[in-house]
Amino acid sequence: MAKKLTELQARGLPSKDNYQKKTLVLQRWKENILGYGFIFPAFLVLGAFVFYPFFQSVYLSFFTTDPSGNIAEFAGFQNYIHLFTNSEFLSSLGITLLFTLYTVPASIILALLLAVLTYNKWKGMQIFQLIFSLPIAMTIGTSSLIWMLLYDPSTGLFNYLLHHLGLPSIQWLNDPSWALISVSIMSIWMSLGLNYIILLAGVRHVPEEIYESARVDGAGSLRILLQMTIPLMSPYLFFVFVTSVISSLQAFGQFNILTNGGPADSTNVFVFSLYQEAFVNFQYGLGSTRALILFVVIMLLTWLNFKFGERRVHYQ
Protein backbone atom coordinates (compact mmCIF):
# COMPACT_ATOMS: atom_id res chain seq x y z
CA MET A 1 0.00 0.00 0.00
CA ALA A 2 2.77 2.40 0.91
CA LYS A 3 4.46 1.56 -2.38
CA LYS A 4 1.26 2.47 -4.29
CA LEU A 5 0.94 5.83 -2.47
CA THR A 6 4.58 6.57 -3.30
CA GLU A 7 3.92 5.76 -6.94
CA LEU A 8 0.80 8.03 -6.96
CA GLN A 9 2.79 10.92 -5.44
CA ALA A 10 5.54 10.33 -7.99
CA ARG A 11 2.96 10.64 -10.76
CA GLY A 12 1.73 13.95 -9.30
CA LEU A 13 -1.50 12.52 -7.94
CA PRO A 14 -2.64 13.77 -4.47
CA SER A 15 -2.09 11.59 -1.43
CA LYS A 16 -4.80 10.90 1.15
CA ASP A 17 -3.54 13.65 3.53
CA ASN A 18 -3.33 16.24 0.75
CA TYR A 19 -6.82 15.29 -0.40
CA GLN A 20 -8.21 15.80 3.11
CA LYS A 21 -6.44 19.17 3.40
CA LYS A 22 -7.88 20.36 0.09
CA THR A 23 -11.32 19.19 1.18
CA LEU A 24 -11.03 21.15 4.42
CA VAL A 25 -9.87 24.28 2.58
CA LEU A 26 -12.74 24.00 0.14
CA GLN A 27 -15.20 23.55 3.00
CA ARG A 28 -13.85 26.64 4.76
CA TRP A 29 -14.20 28.66 1.57
CA LYS A 30 -17.81 27.58 1.26
CA GLU A 31 -18.49 28.52 4.89
CA ASN A 32 -16.83 31.91 4.44
CA ILE A 33 -18.80 32.64 1.28
CA LEU A 34 -22.03 31.62 3.04
CA GLY A 35 -21.19 33.83 6.05
CA TYR A 36 -20.36 36.84 3.87
CA GLY A 37 -23.58 36.23 1.99
CA PHE A 38 -25.56 36.52 5.22
CA ILE A 39 -23.90 39.80 6.30
CA PHE A 40 -23.90 41.35 2.84
CA PRO A 41 -27.49 42.75 3.11
CA ALA A 42 -26.64 44.34 6.47
CA PHE A 43 -23.46 45.76 4.97
CA LEU A 44 -25.48 47.29 2.13
CA VAL A 45 -27.89 48.93 4.59
CA LEU A 46 -25.05 50.28 6.73
CA GLY A 47 -23.24 51.50 3.65
CA ALA A 48 -26.30 53.32 2.31
CA PHE A 49 -27.51 54.85 5.58
CA VAL A 50 -24.38 55.15 7.75
CA PHE A 51 -21.06 55.05 5.90
CA TYR A 52 -22.03 56.99 2.77
CA PRO A 53 -23.75 59.85 4.68
CA PHE A 54 -20.78 60.06 7.04
CA PHE A 55 -18.17 60.41 4.31
CA GLN A 56 -20.48 62.71 2.36
CA SER A 57 -20.72 64.94 5.45
CA VAL A 58 -16.93 64.99 5.75
CA TYR A 59 -16.70 66.01 2.09
CA LEU A 60 -19.39 68.71 2.30
CA SER A 61 -17.89 70.24 5.44
CA PHE A 62 -15.05 71.65 3.33
CA PHE A 63 -17.38 73.36 0.83
CA THR A 64 -20.12 75.96 0.66
CA THR A 65 -23.37 74.94 -1.00
CA ASP A 66 -26.22 76.70 -2.77
CA PRO A 67 -29.90 76.39 -1.67
CA SER A 68 -30.24 73.29 -3.86
CA GLY A 69 -27.46 71.51 -2.01
CA ASN A 70 -25.01 71.74 -4.90
CA ILE A 71 -21.39 72.57 -4.14
CA ALA A 72 -20.63 76.24 -4.75
CA GLU A 73 -16.94 76.62 -3.87
CA PHE A 74 -14.19 75.11 -1.78
CA ALA A 75 -14.07 76.63 1.72
CA GLY A 76 -11.33 74.62 3.40
CA PHE A 77 -11.51 75.01 7.17
CA GLN A 78 -13.55 78.21 6.99
CA ASN A 79 -16.73 76.39 8.03
CA TYR A 80 -15.03 75.16 11.20
CA ILE A 81 -13.53 78.56 11.95
CA HIS A 82 -16.91 80.21 11.38
CA LEU A 83 -18.64 77.87 13.84
CA PHE A 84 -16.11 78.17 16.64
CA THR A 85 -16.25 81.95 16.40
CA ASN A 86 -20.06 81.97 16.23
CA SER A 87 -21.79 82.80 19.53
CA GLU A 88 -24.96 80.95 18.47
CA PHE A 89 -23.00 77.71 17.95
CA LEU A 90 -21.28 77.96 21.32
CA SER A 91 -24.62 78.78 22.97
CA SER A 92 -26.30 75.71 21.44
CA LEU A 93 -23.43 73.54 22.63
CA GLY A 94 -23.77 74.92 26.16
CA ILE A 95 -27.56 74.39 26.17
CA THR A 96 -27.04 70.78 25.04
CA LEU A 97 -24.56 70.10 27.84
CA LEU A 98 -26.93 71.72 30.35
CA PHE A 99 -29.78 69.56 29.05
CA THR A 100 -27.57 66.49 29.49
CA LEU A 101 -26.80 67.56 33.05
CA TYR A 102 -30.51 67.97 33.78
CA THR A 103 -31.68 64.67 32.34
CA VAL A 104 -29.01 61.97 32.66
CA PRO A 105 -28.46 61.87 36.46
CA ALA A 106 -32.17 62.36 37.23
CA SER A 107 -33.33 59.62 34.86
CA ILE A 108 -30.78 57.10 36.16
CA ILE A 109 -31.44 57.82 39.84
CA LEU A 110 -35.22 57.67 39.38
CA ALA A 111 -35.02 54.42 37.38
CA LEU A 112 -32.70 52.89 39.99
CA LEU A 113 -34.99 53.77 42.88
CA LEU A 114 -38.02 52.35 41.07
CA ALA A 115 -36.11 49.19 40.19
CA VAL A 116 -35.03 48.68 43.81
CA LEU A 117 -38.59 49.23 45.06
CA THR A 118 -40.23 46.89 42.57
CA TYR A 119 -37.76 44.06 41.96
CA ASN A 120 -39.51 41.71 44.39
CA LYS A 121 -41.88 39.10 42.99
CA TRP A 122 -44.69 40.02 45.33
CA LYS A 123 -48.30 39.71 44.21
CA GLY A 124 -49.36 42.70 42.13
CA MET A 125 -45.80 44.01 41.68
CA GLN A 126 -45.87 43.16 37.97
CA ILE A 127 -48.53 45.85 37.49
CA PHE A 128 -46.10 48.52 38.74
CA GLN A 129 -43.32 47.07 36.61
CA LEU A 130 -45.56 47.34 33.56
CA ILE A 131 -46.52 50.94 34.39
CA PHE A 132 -42.92 52.07 34.88
CA SER A 133 -41.89 50.37 31.61
CA LEU A 134 -44.64 51.96 29.50
CA PRO A 135 -42.67 55.03 28.30
CA ILE A 136 -40.50 52.75 26.15
CA ALA A 137 -43.56 52.02 24.00
CA MET A 138 -44.23 55.72 23.28
CA THR A 139 -42.76 57.51 20.28
CA ILE A 140 -41.20 60.95 20.63
CA GLY A 141 -43.99 62.56 18.60
CA THR A 142 -46.80 61.04 20.64
CA SER A 143 -45.07 61.77 23.95
CA SER A 144 -44.39 65.38 22.94
CA LEU A 145 -48.04 65.97 22.04
CA ILE A 146 -49.21 64.50 25.36
CA TRP A 147 -46.81 66.68 27.34
CA MET A 148 -47.74 69.72 25.27
CA LEU A 149 -51.31 69.30 26.52
CA LEU A 150 -50.08 68.89 30.09
CA TYR A 151 -47.99 72.07 29.79
CA ASP A 152 -50.78 74.13 28.23
CA PRO A 153 -50.91 77.43 30.22
CA SER A 154 -54.71 77.65 30.30
CA THR A 155 -56.07 74.08 30.17
CA GLY A 156 -53.03 72.00 31.16
CA LEU A 157 -53.07 69.65 34.15
CA PHE A 158 -49.95 71.10 35.76
CA ASN A 159 -51.27 74.66 35.98
CA TYR A 160 -54.62 73.28 37.14
CA LEU A 161 -52.87 71.59 40.09
CA LEU A 162 -50.86 74.75 40.84
CA HIS A 163 -54.07 76.78 40.85
CA HIS A 164 -55.71 74.46 43.41
CA LEU A 165 -52.60 74.66 45.56
CA GLY A 166 -52.82 78.45 45.53
CA LEU A 167 -49.66 78.86 43.47
CA PRO A 168 -49.26 81.07 40.39
CA SER A 169 -49.42 79.51 36.93
CA ILE A 170 -46.22 78.85 35.01
CA GLN A 171 -45.63 79.44 31.31
CA TRP A 172 -43.89 76.09 30.99
CA LEU A 173 -42.91 76.28 27.32
CA ASN A 174 -43.16 80.05 26.77
CA ASP A 175 -40.91 81.27 29.57
CA PRO A 176 -37.17 81.14 28.70
CA SER A 177 -36.32 80.30 32.30
CA TRP A 178 -38.70 77.30 32.34
CA ALA A 179 -38.64 75.99 28.76
CA LEU A 180 -35.47 73.89 29.00
CA ILE A 181 -36.49 72.52 32.40
CA SER A 182 -39.92 71.60 31.03
CA VAL A 183 -38.48 69.70 28.08
CA SER A 184 -35.97 68.05 30.42
CA ILE A 185 -38.79 66.76 32.66
CA MET A 186 -40.51 65.28 29.61
CA SER A 187 -37.22 63.72 28.44
CA ILE A 188 -36.61 62.17 31.86
CA TRP A 189 -40.02 60.52 31.65
CA MET A 190 -39.30 59.30 28.12
CA SER A 191 -36.00 57.66 29.07
CA LEU A 192 -37.45 56.14 32.24
CA GLY A 193 -38.88 53.05 30.52
CA LEU A 194 -35.66 51.70 29.01
CA ASN A 195 -33.49 52.67 31.99
CA TYR A 196 -35.94 51.03 34.38
CA ILE A 197 -35.99 47.75 32.43
CA ILE A 198 -32.19 47.54 32.28
CA LEU A 199 -31.65 48.44 35.93
CA LEU A 200 -34.45 46.09 37.05
CA ALA A 201 -32.55 43.29 35.32
CA GLY A 202 -29.41 44.44 37.13
CA VAL A 203 -31.05 44.40 40.56
CA ARG A 204 -32.43 40.91 39.92
CA HIS A 205 -28.95 39.77 38.88
CA VAL A 206 -27.68 40.34 42.43
CA PRO A 207 -27.95 37.04 44.38
CA GLU A 208 -30.59 37.11 47.10
CA GLU A 209 -28.20 35.30 49.48
CA ILE A 210 -26.04 38.44 49.65
CA TYR A 211 -29.01 40.52 50.82
CA GLU A 212 -29.94 37.91 53.43
CA SER A 213 -26.37 37.81 54.78
CA ALA A 214 -26.27 41.60 55.01
CA ARG A 215 -29.59 41.73 56.89
CA VAL A 216 -28.35 39.08 59.33
CA ASP A 217 -25.28 41.24 59.99
CA GLY A 218 -27.57 44.18 60.78
CA ALA A 219 -27.16 46.25 57.63
CA GLY A 220 -29.97 48.69 56.89
CA SER A 221 -31.71 49.22 53.55
CA LEU A 222 -29.74 52.37 52.68
CA ARG A 223 -26.41 50.74 53.47
CA ILE A 224 -27.32 47.67 51.40
CA LEU A 225 -28.26 49.92 48.47
CA LEU A 226 -25.11 52.06 48.58
CA GLN A 227 -22.50 49.46 49.50
CA MET A 228 -23.85 46.30 47.90
CA THR A 229 -26.55 46.80 45.28
CA ILE A 230 -24.97 49.68 43.37
CA PRO A 231 -21.42 48.19 43.22
CA LEU A 232 -22.72 44.78 42.14
CA MET A 233 -24.87 46.22 39.35
CA SER A 234 -22.26 48.75 38.23
CA PRO A 235 -22.02 47.24 34.68
CA TYR A 236 -25.71 47.99 34.16
CA LEU A 237 -25.36 51.51 35.57
CA PHE A 238 -22.34 52.17 33.37
CA PHE A 239 -24.17 51.01 30.25
CA VAL A 240 -27.23 53.13 31.07
CA PHE A 241 -25.04 56.16 31.77
CA VAL A 242 -23.16 55.94 28.46
CA THR A 243 -26.28 55.40 26.37
CA SER A 244 -28.16 58.16 28.21
CA VAL A 245 -25.38 60.68 27.55
CA ILE A 246 -25.34 59.82 23.85
CA SER A 247 -29.13 60.02 23.65
CA SER A 248 -29.27 63.41 25.37
CA LEU A 249 -26.64 64.86 23.05
CA GLN A 250 -28.72 63.71 20.06
CA ALA A 251 -32.07 64.99 21.39
CA PHE A 252 -34.14 66.70 18.71
CA GLY A 253 -37.78 65.56 18.35
CA GLN A 254 -39.11 66.91 21.64
CA PHE A 255 -37.48 70.30 21.05
CA ASN A 256 -38.78 70.50 17.50
CA ILE A 257 -42.37 69.80 18.60
CA LEU A 258 -42.59 71.48 22.00
CA THR A 259 -40.55 74.67 21.65
CA ASN A 260 -39.11 74.86 18.12
CA GLY A 261 -35.85 76.05 19.67
CA GLY A 262 -37.48 78.92 21.54
CA PRO A 263 -38.36 80.99 23.36
CA ALA A 264 -35.44 83.34 22.74
CA ASP A 265 -33.26 80.35 21.70
CA SER A 266 -33.39 78.98 25.26
CA THR A 267 -33.92 75.44 23.92
CA ASN A 268 -31.82 75.71 20.79
CA VAL A 269 -29.89 72.51 21.38
CA PHE A 270 -27.10 71.28 19.12
CA VAL A 271 -29.07 68.94 16.86
CA PHE A 272 -31.90 71.46 16.44
CA SER A 273 -29.41 74.14 15.37
CA LEU A 274 -27.92 71.58 12.95
CA TYR A 275 -31.37 70.96 11.51
CA GLN A 276 -32.01 74.69 11.16
CA GLU A 277 -28.69 75.27 9.43
CA ALA A 278 -29.02 72.41 6.94
CA PHE A 279 -32.74 72.09 6.21
CA VAL A 280 -34.09 75.58 6.90
CA ASN A 281 -31.19 77.82 5.86
CA PHE A 282 -30.01 75.25 3.25
CA GLN A 283 -26.38 75.64 4.35
CA TYR A 284 -25.44 71.99 3.94
CA GLY A 285 -21.74 72.71 4.34
CA LEU A 286 -22.20 74.31 7.76
CA GLY A 287 -24.77 71.64 8.69
CA SER A 288 -22.29 68.88 7.84
CA THR A 289 -19.64 70.66 9.88
CA ARG A 290 -21.96 70.76 12.89
CA ALA A 291 -22.73 67.05 12.43
CA LEU A 292 -19.04 66.15 12.44
CA ILE A 293 -18.39 68.26 15.52
CA LEU A 294 -21.26 66.49 17.28
CA PHE A 295 -19.74 63.15 16.24
CA VAL A 296 -16.39 64.18 17.73
CA VAL A 297 -18.03 65.41 20.97
CA ILE A 298 -19.92 62.11 21.39
CA MET A 299 -16.80 60.07 20.64
CA LEU A 300 -14.75 62.13 23.11
CA LEU A 301 -17.29 61.85 25.93
CA THR A 302 -17.73 58.12 25.30
CA TRP A 303 -13.97 57.62 25.38
CA LEU A 304 -13.72 59.57 28.64
CA ASN A 305 -16.48 57.44 30.14
CA PHE A 306 -14.66 54.24 29.25
CA LYS A 307 -11.28 55.67 30.23
CA PHE A 308 -12.22 56.85 33.72
CA GLY A 309 -15.70 55.51 34.47
CA GLU A 310 -15.11 51.85 33.70
CA ARG A 311 -12.50 51.66 36.45
CA ARG A 312 -15.34 51.65 38.97
CA VAL A 313 -17.22 48.89 37.19
CA HIS A 314 -17.07 45.47 38.84
CA TYR A 315 -17.68 42.63 36.40
CA GLN A 316 -18.60 39.33 37.99
Side-chain angles (χ1 to χ4, degrees):
M1 184 67 180
K3 185 177 180 181
K4 288 183 179 181
L5 288 174
T6 305
E7 291 178 356
L8 290 173
Q9 292 176 357
R11 295 177 185 176
L13 296 176
S15 63
K16 184 177 180 180
D17 292 339
N18 290 335
Y19 178 78
Q20 291 178 346
K21 290 180 181 178
K22 289 183 178 181
T23 303
L24 289 174
V25 170
L26 184 60
Q27 185 177 357
R28 289 175 183 174
W29 271 100
K30 290 181 179 179
E31 291 177 353
N32 290 336
I33 293 173
L34 182 63
Y36 287 124
F38 281 124
I39 68 173
F40 184 70
F43 181 78
L44 284 179
V45 174
L46 289 174
F49 296 102
V50 178
F51 300 128
Y52 173 75
F54 174 78
F55 290 112
Q56 184 71 4
S57 296
V58 174
Y59 177 73
L60 288 175
S61 68
F62 294 102
F63 294 87
T64 58
T65 56
D66 59 22
S68 300
N70 299 318
I71 294 175
E73 60 179 352
F74 178 74
F77 290 97
Q78 289 301 316
N79 287 335
Y80 294 91
I81 296 173
H82 170 75
L83 286 182
F84 283 106
T85 56
N86 186 356
S87 59
E88 181 272 332
F89 166 77
L90 298 177
S91 174
S92 66
L93 184 59
I95 292 172
T96 304
L97 295 177
L98 186 60
F99 172 74
T100 303
L101 184 63
Y102 284 163
T103 56
V104 173
S107 63
I108 295 176
I109 292 173
L110 182 59
L112 176 62
L113 291 177
L114 293 177
V116 170
L117 292 173
T118 60
Y119 83 96
N120 291 304
K121 297 181 180 180
W122 295 338
K123 186 177 181 180
M125 194 61 68
Q126 291 182 348
I127 297 176
F128 293 98
Q129 294 173 0
L130 175 63
I131 293 173
F132 296 144
S133 304
L134 279 179
I136 196 175
M138 304 289 289
T139 62
I140 293 179
T142 304
S143 302
S144 298
L145 292 176
I146 293 173
W147 282 81
M148 182 182 292
L149 296 175
L150 295 175
Y151 283 138
D152 189 274
S154 57
T155 61
L157 176 62
F158 294 153
N159 278 345
Y160 174 80
L161 295 176
L162 290 176
H163 174 72
H164 280 271
L165 292 174
L167 300 174
S169 299
I170 297 175
Q171 299 292 322
W172 298 96
L173 300 176
N174 299 322
D175 187 347
S177 60
W178 277 99
L180 185 62
I181 297 175
S182 301
V183 181
S184 299
I185 294 172
M186 179 259 184
S187 301
I188 292 170
W189 176 82
M190 278 188 55
S191 61
L192 179 63
L194 179 61
N195 292 348
Y196 171 76
I197 292 173
I198 295 174
L199 295 182
L200 180 63
V203 175
R204 288 182 171 178
H205 184 71
V206 179
E208 186 65 30
E209 295 80 9
I210 296 179
Y211 291 137
E212 294 176 357
S213 300
R215 294 189 188 99
V216 170
D217 292 337
S221 300
L222 183 60
R223 186 177 180 182
I224 292 174
L225 174 64
L226 297 178
Q227 297 185 1
M228 298 182 63
T229 304
I230 293 179
L232 288 174
M233 60 181 298
S234 55
Y236 299 87
L237 289 168
F238 180 71
F239 173 79
V240 169
F241 179 77
V242 172
T243 55
S244 297
V245 170
I246 295 174
S247 178
S248 63
L249 293 175
Q250 296 177 331
F252 168 73
Q254 57 267 49
F255 291 97
N256 187 36
I257 297 174
L258 291 176
T259 62
N260 200 33
D265 288 337
S266 60
T267 59
N268 186 28
V269 290
F270 199 96
V271 178
F272 185 82
S273 66
L274 188 159
Y275 166 79
Q276 290 285 112
E277 195 73 66
F279 301 106
V280 177
N281 301 330
F282 298 106
Q283 297 293 326
Y284 296 107
L286 288 173
S288 298
T289 306
R290 287 176 184 262
L292 289 175
I293 293 174
L294 177 62
F295 171 76
V296 172
V297 170
I298 292 175
M299 288 290 293
L300 178 62
L301 291 178
T302 304
W303 177 79
L304 290 174
N305 285 330
F306 277 93
K307 180 69 175 180
F308 300 103
E310 198 175 16
R311 297 176 181 178
R312 300 180 179 272
V313 177
H314 304 282
Y315 295 103
Q316 297 182 1

